[in-house]
Each structure stands twice: as structure tokens, then as C-alpha cells.
Amino acid sequence: MASEQDVRARLQRVGQEHLLRFCAELAPGPRAALLAELESLEPEALREHCQRAAAACARPPGPPPDLATRLRPLPPERVGSVSRSDSERRRLWEEEGFRQIALNKVAVLLLAGGQGTRLGVAYPKGMYQVGLPSRKTLYQLQAERIRRVQQLAGERHGVRCTVPWYVMTSEFTLGPTAEFFKQHDFFHLDPDNVVLFEQRMLPVVTFDGKAILERKDKVAMAPDGNGGLYCALADHQILEDMERRGVEFVHVYCVDNILVRLADPAFVGFCVLQGADCGAKVVEKAYPEEPVGVVCQVDGVPQVVEYSEISPETAGLRAPDGGLLYRAGNICNHFFTRRFLREVTGKFEPLLKPHVAVKKVPYVDDEGNLVKPLTPNGIKMEKFVFDVFQFAEKFVAFEVLRDEEFSPLKNADSADRDTPTTARRALLAQHYRWALQAGARFLDAHGARRPELPGLPSSEEPPAVCEISPLVSYSGEGLEAYLQGREFQSPVILDESGVRALGP
Ligand SMILES: CC(=O)N[C@H]1[C@@H](OP(=O)(O)OP(=O)(O)OC[C@H]2O[C@@H](n3ccc(=O)[nH]c3=O)[C@H](O)[C@@H]2O)O[C@H](CO)[C@@H](O)[C@@H]1O
């Protein structure tokens, strides 16, 4: 291990020696930890990182002034749509997706390194349960959808097949996620097919380019954004692992969408049949200010423009049909071929430009007091997972129905959108629609029929609760055997052992 003197000399060279200002007063343990942390930061990279952060932050906020003139919607021939296609076409996409899954060529990759600060919990978001009757967490719902899609593909093709689950974590989420998976016996997935790996962390920097000490013995670090995926894939030889397993196609998704369809056969099949190397699932934006990125083209190149980077005027532009011109809302569900990921990790990753996020970062002041700032004081530099779209040879987008596929959990219940309540409601509204479609009828406490609302939107509380286990149905299939022509008193749960009434 390097001596304090060596570390100090390295830091002095790059103007960051303030990180050692409490070193002399630390006990041997914390002092060794701090020196080890500082030693792991390559000085030139640290200098560049700090300078870049300060320079990026000094630029005027908001979108580049000429962005609006360079922006175009995606050409229609690059966009597949579930709602605007006939059932035969949808069947072909799905069939292709299932075929690839049955051939063991499809993997899913969860981006789970985020801190979930908006939700306000201290543990990984995937461990959150939104208050479903089954009390299932997001991780469990996802694991069960993997099991079900494997089963469906296997049954269609008379094989046993595997969809490996790669989970990118960070320093914040790796330990608790690994522990949670173990505690829950990997939700009955084979642990060999669940691969956890860790993304890198970067120092958080002040507006004048100094790395921040969050404690006397600890530099403030933050994960390098979900685009840290590409370095992490290389750091942990994940593409080699995929190659060994024969994986060709990867569905990358974010942790917080309770309706996410893992390895969605329709999405995968559409991308494969289009010969795409890169794809994004989108939903129609609900309103101009909705905080979702927009999938579009900038200077003719596919890109996601984040909600923070698009001006209100541009976001509000209308197409000739009256809908939003920039309507393709990014839901952080991406398709990549392994070949494309290899190109990115080998060639393009260094070209990705980090984005700046200005945050309130607790720090120690010069007297050694811990300060929780009331206004933002620190810059986090993050790469975004979708910034590689520009390098695709063939990029496609796939539009799906919001009510069926998108309800993200971002905020605590005090907010009015994207909360535990809205996520729970969206899932239960979907299950209610599926149950009605499969022929179930619901009764109230007096045995009278409850009203039937087959088109119930996901924003409404369903008149009856019938939670359906993903192990029974992935996207509404196979429910007639359990529900056709039967009457139930809400609330009920449907799992592999059948329908079960829940106590009042
Ligand atoms: C950059 C990005 O993708 N933005 C999308 C993200 O926004 P949003 O701002 O919600 O992005 P989040 O910060 O929630 O991150 C999305 C996902 O990336 C993961 N994560 C984040 C940071 C990190 O360092 N490591 C990591 O793995 C999170 O755990 C999460 O699973 O989802 C929205 C839909 O819900 C989209 O409209 C946005 O375009």
C-alpha cells in the first residue's frame, strides 16, 4: 500500500490535496481506508474528471440553443407499434421472440445501481414492495416473469431453456441485493443463471472542481450513471459470460417499472426480424411536460433527449395528426445485440459524453463538522445507457401500450405521480382487465355483481382486486382455465395453486 506521503504527492500534482486534510487526526483503521480509497483514484483521471465536471457545470443550464432545429422524430419505418399493427404481425414478432428464447439466445439485464433518492428509501429499489396483496417486491415480480417466459418458450418448442438474469449493481446496491436474493433463494431461479456485477463509482465534485469529503475518512462517490453499464460489462467480462452461454440478444431494463415484461418476446422478435442491433421500447408521451426522455433523431442520428434537456416549446410541438410531435417516450427498456455491445465496450464507450447532475451532497467543512446542505453543492457526472444509440447500424423503436407496460416507481407517496400507490393501482387494474377478459366475474360482500369495466385505465382503482402471479400469466395468457365463468368475492390472489380468497 502507498504511504501517506506518496498519496499526498499524487494529490498535490492534481490540486486535490485537501482530501487529506483530516488524515493526521484519524485512527489507524479509517486512515488506512482513506489512503486505500485515494490510492485507487488515478491522479490524471481524477484531475480530468474534476475539471470536466466544473466546466460542464459552468455552461448555461438547459438545452443547447440550436437543439430544436436539429431535432426530428424517428422516421416511421423505424418504429413498430403494438397498437397500430394487426394481430397476425404481432403473432409473428412474438413467435420469433419465443424461438430465440427457446434457443437460449436471449438474456435480460437489469440496471439496478441507482440510489433511488426520490423514493426516499435507504435500500435498493428492487427490494421495495408497493403493497400488493401478495407483498411481492419488484425483484420478485421480475424473477417470476423470467420463470414464466422461460416456461412459455420451453412449452412452445418442447425444450428447457434459460434466460440468464444479469444485474448491474453499484457500491450502494450490491451487498443488499446479493443478500436479498440469497435470503429469497433467488426466487427459485438457478443461482448460476443470476449474475450480479458492479458498476464504477466516481467522485462528486464541487462547482470549483474539488472532490468532496463526505466524512473525514471518505470521499463522496456516486455511481457513474446507468451508462456505466458499458465499462462494467468490460470490467467483469460479462460479454464473455454471455458468449459462453450462447446469448446473442440482450433486453436491458430499469428496475422501477412494475409492469416491465422481461425478455418480452414481441419486442425481442420485432428487433430480431428488423435486423436491428439496437432498439428502444417507447410509450406515447401522456403530456408535453411528462418527465420521460424522448426517442428521436438529432442531426439524423437516433438519440434520447432527456426531459431536462428539451425546451417546453419543443416538447409541446404537435404533429399533423394532433398528437405530440415528439411522442416517443423512453421507458428505459432497450434491445442490444451482443455484437453491438462488444463494439461499444471495445470502441465507442470513451466517446460517450457524461451528463451533469447537480445535487445536495453532505460534506465535512474545514472544521470537521458534518454539513447537510440545503442547496445543491455537488456535481455528479453520469453516462446514460441510451447514449450509445448513435453508434447503431440499425436502430428501431417499438411502441407499446402504457396501460399494459409502463408504470414506474420514482417517488414517495407524497408525490402525485409514479408512486407506490400509482404502481400498485396500475398492476391491479391490469390484472382486473385480464381477469374480466378471461371470463371472471366479481361480487360484492352481499353477493351482488360488481360493475364491469373492461377498459379500466391504469390510473383508476379497480372495482375488484384479483392479483395474478406472474408464474400463472406473463401477459394475460392462460387465465381461462382458472377464471372462465367463475364468480369471486374480491380480494383474491391467483397463483399456481389456484384462486385464493384473502381475508377482509
Ligand atoms: C438516463 C435514463 O435512462 N433515463 C431514463 C430513466 O430516467 P430516470 O431519471 O427515472 O432514471 P433513473 O435514475 O431512475 O435510472 C434508471 C435506471 O438506471 C439505474 N441506474 C441509475 C444510475 C446509475 O448510476 N446506475 C443505474 O443502474 C437505476 O437503478 C434505474 O433502474 O427512466 C425514464 C423512464 O422511467 C426514462 O424516460 C428516462 O429517459
Side-chain angles (χ1 to χ4, degrees), residues 111-114 118 199 223 225-226 254-255 292-293 306-307 330 386 410:
L111 303 168
R118 280 176 284 171
Q199 67 180 109
N226 59 14
C254 82
V255 71
V292 291
E306 265 303 35
Y307 46 88
N330 177 39
F386 49 64
K410 306 279 185 200

Side-chain angles (χ1 to χ4, degrees), residues 78 162 234 372 407 472 493:
R78 286 294 165 94
T162 301
K372 282 198 166 174
S407 179
V472 172
I493 286 187

